[in-house]
Amino acid sequence: MNAGQAKHILTTIAAMFPDAHCELNHSNAFELTIAVLLSAQCTDATVNKVTADLFRKYRTPQDYISVPLEELEQDIRRIGLFRSKAKHIQNLCRILIEQYGGDVPSEHDKLVKLPGVGRKTANVVVSNAFGVPAIAVDTHVERVSKRLGLANWKDSVLEVEQKLMKRVPREEWTITHHRLIFFGRYHCKAQNPNCQICPLLDVCREGKKRMKRSQVSKPIEE
């Protein structure tokens, strides 16, 4: 894919979702870190329902470690993998208190060392909480990038991120990340993408396959 084709794809998606943004409710870097940690293998909508009560009860790292682990587990039990996530949260909060004065570090290399925080989570936090350009590759970004040819089918998550970083101007990394998520979440869905009305069908290898299959499966009218 050349630069012109990549620009066409990204410009089209930008026009479709000009107001794309982080949909995890939060009011500071600490809440965002907790929300993104909880969002692994879970929808943002479910996380927001849980954090609506969670963030009223727990406001600081100290609050999270002041309760028994079992109590925190019950508070997030609607979240997938809630037991391991509760343990990660308490361990993360202890490190924040012991090493960072209770604050979330703004450096990517420090964030990824925190329990339950991987590269994607760190990218979300630095970009949304601290204004550092980053492209976090979640399932939506990975799926869309591969379907549209911005990355190869066999690319790892890191390779997808690196290719997007090369194709997108650095100052647009964060907003492009949000737009790709919106495109994948609301248009190019995993199971039922809107191929028939997609303005990018002409450049989407997945869409072309799906449309061809749907044509073949249609009954022949007499």
Side-chain angles (χ1 to χ4, degrees):
M1 175 176 292
N2 60 43
Q5 291 171 318
K7 184 176 181 180
H8 165 65
I9 290 171
L10 296 172
T11 300
T12 301
I13 293 176
M16 293 175 69
F17 299 101
D19 300 318
H21 58 278
C22 177
E23 292 192 298
L24 289 170
N25 295 333
H26 64 280
S27 59
N28 53 54
F30 177 57
E31 288 185 353
L32 178 60
T33 303
I34 298 298
V36 183
L37 188 157
L38 292 173
S39 72
Q41 300 182 41
C42 185
T43 66
D44 286 3
T46 298
V47 173
N48 286 336
K49 289 177 183 177
V50 171
T51 56
D53 294 325
L54 194 73
F55 291 163
R56 280 194 290 268
K57 181 177 180 179
Y58 304 98
R59 297 183 180 277
T60 68
Q62 185 62 48
D63 293 337
Y64 282 95
I65 64 173
S66 296
V67 299
L69 177 61
E70 294 74 19
E71 182 174 343
L72 179 56
E73 288 177 351
Q74 290 303 307
D75 289 332
I76 64 170
R77 63 177 295 109
R78 285 181 288 173
I79 298 284
L81 307 174
F82 69 92
R83 286 191 175 87
S84 62
K85 289 178 180 178
K87 190 176 298 183
H88 283 323
I89 288 172
Q90 287 200 333
N91 289 335
L92 179 150
C93 288
R94 289 189 183 94
I95 292 174
L96 292 184
I97 292 169
E98 294 169 3
Q99 299 184 20
Y100 302 106
D103 295 325
V104 173
S106 59
E107 297 87 352
H108 190 278
D109 60 334
K110 293 179 180 178
L111 282 166
V112 293
K113 293 178 182 177
L114 296 173
V117 177
R119 185 174 182 84
K120 184 203 79 171
T121 299
N123 280 343
V124 173
V125 173
V126 297
S127 60
N128 289 280
F130 300 110
V132 179
I135 298 178
V137 179
D138 69 351
T139 56
H140 298 298
V141 175
E142 181 180 9
R143 180 177 69 255
V144 168
S145 298
K146 291 181 177 180
R147 283 180 174 177
L148 293 173
L150 293 168
N152 296 325
W153 289 117
K154 294 184 179 180
D155 282 349
S156 66
V157 172
L158 179 58
E159 288 172 328
V160 172
E161 179 185 337
Q162 291 171 335
K163 287 185 177 179
L164 289 174
M165 289 167 66
K166 289 180 180 179
R167 299 187 189 282
V168 180
R170 188 174 188 276
E171 65 273 13
E172 296 178 15
W173 284 355
T174 301
I175 186 59
T176 297
H177 152 75
H178 292 310
R179 288 168 178 166
L180 289 173
I181 287 179
F182 269 51
F183 185 77
R185 182 175 288 160
Y186 301 113
H187 181 79
C188 189
K189 302 174 185 178
Q191 298 302 323
N192 296 298
N194 296 320
C195 300
Q196 66 277 10
I197 60 170
C198 184
L200 291 172
L201 180 61
D202 62 323
V203 296
C204 180
R205 48 193 175 181
E206 175 72 12
K208 289 176 181 177
K209 287 181 190 175
R210 286 175 177 269
M211 293 302 291
K212 188 176 293 185
R213 285 199 298 267
S214 66
Q215 290 297 323
V216 170
S217 63
K218 282 184 179 179
I220 299 175
E221 297 182 1
E222 295 184 359

